[in-house]
Amino acid sequence: MFTISEQPMIFSLTITALYLMTLLLLFLISITVITIYKNKKANRELSLLKPIFITLLQGKTGEIAAIMKVSNPVGDLMDMDVPMHKIEKVRREMIQSGEHEHLLWLSILVCAAYQDEASYKGEIVDLMKKDLKSQGLPEDAEKLMPLCKYTFSPYTFFRIIQFLLDKNIPHVSSDPLFKEIGKYFKNYNVTKALTTTGKFKVLLTMVKYIVLAATGFVMSWLLFYFNNLSQEGVLWLVLLNIIITVASTLFVLWNIMQKQVNPRSYEEIEADIISDIPAFRIRAT
């Protein structure tokens, strides 16, 4: 048991720990609730904007992308013209100019433009695979088909566009289509919505630290109510544990809040995009 002179000090410590843990827990819960609300709003905005940007990618050029063989009603083969969308024209011009950096992601946008045209999409994917291989990118060629198999979430779709805009690829950045897309990005605050959704993804990694703070909060309450019944060594040990919990949680929280949401490298955005594709998630497990 503690002496009379020690009890006020111990009581002050327990009160301080209690208040600190309460404030920390309330802070974490507030951030979580606000971020979840903003994420839902941002996802709704991106979902509404995606068709607008798909329409931009599908802009008519009056040219033919390919000619494919199809069966007519009597079973005879006939030629069918595959229309060339604006984004496909950009891709071809990029190859002709000798540029192939990040060609995979430009090709994925082509897939998005042809996503509602299943009869054409397979032909376009085959052409793009051949182009990737001819550019010395066989690994990207193998990734293309499973990546194009699924419809991308609005978040992933816009992240690919943002990545291509931020990379300042010479031909892409100077193309009228991407200049128009960049203008739409600013007018519709797409970057802000992407950042908000990205923060929510970062928040998911913070759940275990909220549990850690909640544990410290419960311990501080127990310490507050039963400090007179605890042995001195046990009490100081619990106090030390609470202090470590507070310090480590604040440290990790600060680092998470400071973490950049936008990827800093090609490898990071590739990993982020691929994690959104079911086929690749299955392969990784």
Side-chain angles (χ1 to χ4, degrees):
M1 300 296 291
F2 302 110
T3 63
I4 296 176
S5 60
E6 290 176 326
Q7 287 181 349
M9 180 185 67
I10 298 301
F11 184 76
S12 298
L13 286 173
T14 57
I15 288 292
T16 301
L18 178 61
Y19 284 156
L20 190 57
M21 293 306 300
T22 302
L23 289 174
L24 176 60
L25 188 61
L26 290 176
F27 178 61
L28 292 177
I29 292 174
S30 299
I31 288 179
T32 303
V33 172
I34 292 171
T35 305
I36 291 174
Y37 169 77
K38 288 185 175 180
N39 175 63
K40 288 184 177 180
K41 183 179 178 182
N43 269 320
R44 186 166 57 250
E45 292 174 358
L46 293 177
S47 297
L48 293 173
L49 290 174
K50 185 180 176 182
I52 297 174
F53 282 81
I54 290 290
T55 302
L56 287 177
L57 300 179
Q58 292 175 334
K60 296 180 179 179
T61 64
E63 301 177 48
I64 298 173
I67 298 176
M68 58 185 295
K69 296 288 185 180
V70 297
S71 298
N72 61 18
V74 296
D76 296 329
L77 292 178
M78 59 179 290
D79 293 337
M80 176 181 286
D81 294 338
V82 179
M84 184 181 292
H85 294 324
K86 284 185 177 181
I87 186 64
E88 170 62 1
K89 188 172 183 179
V90 173
R91 187 191 71 84
R92 296 191 180 196
E93 290 175 349
M94 182 176 174
I95 292 175
Q96 290 172 2
S97 65
E99 300 174 32
H100 60 268
E101 186 180 13
H102 310 309
L103 184 59
L104 173 62
W105 303 117
L106 186 63
S107 301
I108 288 172
L109 289 185
V110 175
C111 289
Y114 285 89
Q115 66 183 10
D116 297 327
E117 304 172 60
S119 58
Y120 300 150
K121 187 176 177 181
E123 186 72 22
I124 292 295
V125 170
D126 287 340
L127 289 172
M128 291 191 296
K129 283 185 66 176
K130 293 177 182 177
D131 288 337
L132 286 167
K133 289 179 180 178
S134 69
Q135 296 296 312
L137 302 168
E139 292 183 3
D140 286 351
E142 292 304 315
K143 291 176 183 177
L144 184 62
M145 187 167 289
L147 282 170
C148 287
K149 183 179 178 181
Y150 300 92
T151 300
F152 289 107
S153 67
Y155 172 76
T156 302
F157 172 75
F158 283 110
R159 281 290 297 277
I160 295 171
I161 295 178
Q162 184 184 49
F163 174 69
L164 292 172
L165 290 173
D166 290 346
K167 281 298 179 180
N168 291 320
I169 303 169
H171 186 79
V172 170
S173 59
S174 63
D175 190 90
L177 173 62
F178 274 89
K179 286 183 178 179
E180 186 177 9
I181 288 174
K183 188 184 301 182
Y184 272 61
F185 248 67
K186 292 180 181 178
N187 292 343
Y188 289 111
N189 291 323
V190 176
T191 302
K192 181 180 179 182
L194 282 174
T195 301
T196 300
T197 304
K199 285 181 179 178
F200 175 75
K201 290 180 176 292
V202 174
L203 177 68
L204 294 178
T205 65
M206 200 177 74
V207 173
K208 54 182 173 291
Y209 300 109
I210 297 177
V211 174
L212 186 65
T215 302
F217 172 73
V218 172
M219 290 178 65
S220 65
W221 270 102
L222 292 174
L223 181 64
F224 173 71
Y225 280 114
F226 301 107
N227 67 87
N228 290 327
L229 302 178
S230 303
Q231 296 295 323
E232 184 175 0
V234 175
L235 183 59
W236 282 110
L237 184 61
V238 174
L239 274 174
L240 179 61
N241 182 71
I242 292 174
I243 292 171
I244 292 174
T245 302
V246 172
S248 61
T249 304
L250 288 174
F251 175 77
V252 174
L253 176 62
W254 173 255
N255 279 275
I256 290 175
M257 293 177 67
Q258 292 299 311
K259 182 179 179 181
Q260 293 183 1
V261 174
N262 294 328
R264 297 185 293 273
S265 69
Y266 174 75
E267 290 76 14
E268 286 174 329
I269 192 171
E270 183 182 49
D272 186 42
I273 293 170
I274 285 179
S275 68
D276 194 42
I277 308 302
F280 281 89
R281 285 203 300 269
I282 293 171
R283 290 183 191 183
T285 57

